[in-house]
Amino acid sequence: MASAPTDDVLDQFLADRGHSTEPERWDRSYNKKQCPDCGGIHDDAAVECSVCGWRPEA
């Protein structure tokens, strides 16, 4: 019986093929948060993009 690949193995496989394996976070634009999907600008208190609904991964 074969075992399931670990997250490290899967992350390395994806990274070797040009995929990002880091969790997506807010970009920064001056003193504001910027959505990495649509570029919407938000205050530091934002937890979700009010333009496209994107949320950072936990």
Side-chain angles (χ1 to χ4, degrees):
M1 174 187 212
S3 63
T6 64
D7 287 341
D8 293 337
V9 172
L10 184 57
D11 286 348
Q12 186 61 49
F13 175 83
L14 292 171
D16 289 347
R17 285 152 182 80
H19 298 277
S20 174
T21 58
E22 296 297 318
E24 281 198 88
R25 304 276 183 219
W26 291 101
D27 293 332
R28 301 297 293 183
S29 181
Y30 296 98
N31 61 345
K32 301 282 186 173
K33 290 180 176 177
Q34 185 172 14
C35 175
D37 277 357
C38 71
I41 303 291
H42 305 285
D43 289 330
D44 278 338
V47 294
E48 179 178 346
C49 178
S50 61
V51 177
C52 70
W54 177 86
R55 296 185 77 128
E57 296 178 16

